[in-house]
Amino acid sequence: MQGLMQDWPLLVSTILDHAKVNHGEQEVVTRSVEGPIVRTTYAELHGRAKRCAKALHGLGVREGDVVATLAWNTHRHMEAWYGIMGIGAICHTLNPRLFPEQLVYIVNHAEDRYIFTDLTFVPLCEAIADKCETVKGFVIMTDREHMPETKLKNAICYEDLLAESDEDFEWVKVDENAGCGLCYTSGTTGNPKGVLYSHRSNVLHALTVNQADAFGMRSVDSVMPVVPMFHANAWAIAFAAPMVGTKLVMPGANMDGPSIHELLETEKVNFTAAVPTVWLMLLQHLEASSGTLSTLKRVMIGGSAVPQTIVERFEQNYGVEVIHGWGMTEMSPLGSFAAFKPAMLELPAEEQMGYKLKQGRAPYMVEMKVIDDDGKEVPRDGKTFGNLVVRGAAIAKGYFKGEGGQILDADGFFDTGDVAHIDEHGFMQITDRSKDVIKSGGEWISSIEIENLAVGHPELAEAAVIGIAHPKWDERPLLICVKKEGSGVDRDSVLKYLEGKIAKWWMPDDVAFIDEIPHTATGKIQKRDLREKFKEYKLPTA
Ligand code: AMP
């Protein structure tokens, strides 16, 4: 027997409709790409998203077409998102940190019709435009006054486009399972692969991330998503914040310590989210300038494992709570967060820290387990590690256009490519990417754990650990470090610092210093490049 409840499709347009009606006056504040701070509201943003939708319709964009954005976190980017998705088209977020050839590949693979771009990326668009086979035009997200001289053949001024349009437009009612967002990931081998989010998965995921133990945003809060909208949906904040009427503070193009600090203070931000490197920059700025954080209460950190030094500095020096989260593009992206359970509340601080540094437990709608190479689940004992697999309502079941073939196992689980263990409280901890684990004498060494301890050394700015071939042990760890400016730290000081903090057989066999550690377009350490650079390296123990 069927239930007798209404059929109310979960479309992302309903989120902005809700925000307009119930939180229309709430602010969306942006540091614009042109420079000044721009203040708008959810009501205005709704109207402008409708204008954008109608204009796109006028340009011939239809249901199922793909329209890309190459842009910072701004109110205009958000209007474009809702405008594109609101006509049943698919909003494809392009990551400007990718190499131009990768962008060309992705744009052509996705068959993007238009690209909405910020002033910053006009030169990049000019460089790739001729190779973008399906792109009919570039919408430059600025006003007439700031329109640049450009070689782009079909450059459209965003504000003109909106001014010539109007708000009298009904969102296109597509099926809730229709695609609405597309984001390519290069986390897997081979070419980048597209993850195609549906309206339903985005709405459900926004509800998931906003559980009180996770983001827990409220209408009285002020949130700054520093995590870019081109990096796994800005962790769903552009959906979850309007759903509850939270004030949004968009940092635009300036993600350096001083700019972020200024906005946190002037806009009374009490919750924010980004990858660890952003927070290292902010903390360094605060420490150098004796700055304070007068309203910030909570920081969500994920994308890479959070080092202990970040948690300590935030908590002890500024009274800011750190919530460590893990996820991936394929998971919309949030997969877990390390919020305490009752059993952890009374523990000594040191043991509590152990839990804060884990990637944490699954929210409702994410099923997670660790399996061995035979597919058998390993015990939840906090030490037996294996392959982390996941299943859920906002997790990919295949890549765009079938790239990569079948990606689920017989039970519908997706292999994350992460190596992890889960403890009796359901707290998961990642020890490595499966391709990065160091296999020493048949045992596995966690590169992530050593890296995160090493960056606690007061004179190190960054650290990466890779396996180097060893005649006796197969592989042994090499610790590669970047010194803080002006530091004369040496190998012995670094090894001494690690002594007693990790098992003896985990101790790196050597320490190498380099000027810069290479990063991927999403800010992760590029181990492939490091392995290449150090492929001839001879360990002193070999
Ligand atoms: P992406 O799809 O680019 O967001 O990358 C997802 C991958 O980033 C995951 O599979 C992990 O390997 C890594 N990752 C994300 N969050 C964390 C975290 N908190 N700790 C360790 N690794 C993480």
Side-chain angles (χ1 to χ4, degrees), residues 193-464:
K193 295 180 182 63
V195 178
L196 184 60
Y197 309 107
S198 65
H199 284 266
R200 177 186 149 85
S201 71
N202 275 343
V203 171
L204 290 176
H205 189 66
L207 290 167
T208 295
V209 301
N210 212 28
Q211 296 176 21
D213 268 349
F215 293 10
M217 290 183 287
R218 304 161 304 167
S219 68
V220 290
D221 292 329
S222 171
V223 62
M224 175 156 70
V226 183
V227 52
M229 291 165 75
F230 55 76
H231 186 186
N233 280 328
W235 301 351
I237 292 174
F239 299 124
M243 220 176 224
V244 287
T246 303
K247 172 178 169 180
L248 261 177
V249 181
M250 302 296 228
N254 299 15
M255 262 139 18
D256 55 288
S259 306
I260 294 294
H261 182 216
E262 186 191 40
L263 270 190
L264 288 174
E265 288 296 292
T266 53
E267 298 306 324
K268 299 189 169 49
V269 171
N270 62 355
F271 175 56
T272 177
V275 296
T277 38
V278 167
W279 302 124
L280 276 175
M281 281 194 295
L282 175 73
L283 288 167
Q284 274 161 18
H285 163 70
L286 289 172
E287 286 152 12
S289 63
S290 306
T292 53
L293 292 170
S294 50
T295 55
L296 190 65
K297 291 279 172 286
R298 292 183 308 133
V299 187
M300 185 84 199
I301 309 185
S304 301
V306 62
Q308 184 164 340
T309 156
I310 293 192
V311 182
E312 283 170 351
R313 281 145 87 188
F314 264 125
E315 293 192 350
Q316 290 162 14
N317 305 344
Y318 304 99
V320 174
E321 183 192 357
V322 169
I323 311 156
H324 186 196
W326 161 86
M328 56 198 311
T329 308
E330 289 88 336
M331 299 181 75
S332 296
L334 186 74
S336 69
F337 48 82
F340 282 176
K341 291 170 77 173
M344 293 151 203
L345 293 176
E346 304 299 330
L347 292 175
E350 217 180 283
E351 280 177 55
Q352 284 187 333
M353 181 59 80
Y355 286 104
K356 288 179 193 171
L357 296 179
K358 291 193 177 200
Q359 279 70 14
R361 57 195 165 91
Y364 174 65
M365 270 187 275
V366 173
E367 290 178 68
M368 177 164 94
K369 64 179 180 179
V370 174
I371 58 174
D372 61 21
D373 286 340
D374 299 324
K376 202 165 139 277
E377 186 167 359
V378 306
R380 293 190 163 222
D381 58 6
K383 18 179 231 277
T384 315
F385 51 80
N387 307 312
L388 180 66
V389 297
V390 291
R391 185 164 76 173
I395 299 176
K397 65 176 174 188
Y399 289 109
F400 192 44
K401 297 187 172 170
E403 290 292 326
Q406 168 68 261
I407 62 167
L408 304 185
D409 71 12
D411 298 321
F413 279 88
F414 169 74
D415 185 347
T416 63
D418 286 321
V419 176
H421 49 70
I422 302 181
D423 68 17
E424 65 275 24
H425 301 293
F427 268 54
M428 179 272 289
Q429 181 154 25
I430 302 228
T431 57
D432 253 310
R433 288 291 294 166
S434 55
K435 55 185 190 304
D436 296 337
V437 283
I438 299 162
K439 296 181 185 112
S440 172
E443 300 284 347
W444 289 7
I445 296 176
S446 162
S447 61
I448 293 185
E449 211 170 318
I450 307 176
E451 284 157 10
N452 283 349
L453 280 169
V455 290
H457 188 295
E459 294 190 60
L460 292 185
E462 205 176 2

Side-chain angles (χ1 to χ4, degrees), residues 37-93:
I37 300 292
V38 175
R39 315 189 88 82
T40 177
T41 62
Y42 280 128
E44 280 167 2
L45 201 147
H46 180 273
R48 285 166 56 86
K50 284 237 164 165
R51 282 173 178 268
C52 179
K54 189 166 182 172
L56 277 171
H57 217 251
L59 287 171
V61 178
R62 293 291 177 270
E63 224 178 292
D65 285 347
V66 183
V67 176
T69 62
L70 182 64
W72 302 112
N73 291 7
T74 67
H75 69 287
R76 286 186 179 131
H77 193 179
M78 197 157 150
E79 291 156 12
W81 266 31
Y82 280 94
I84 296 165
M85 298 180 199
I87 59 170
I90 289 153
C91 177
H92 174 198
T93 47

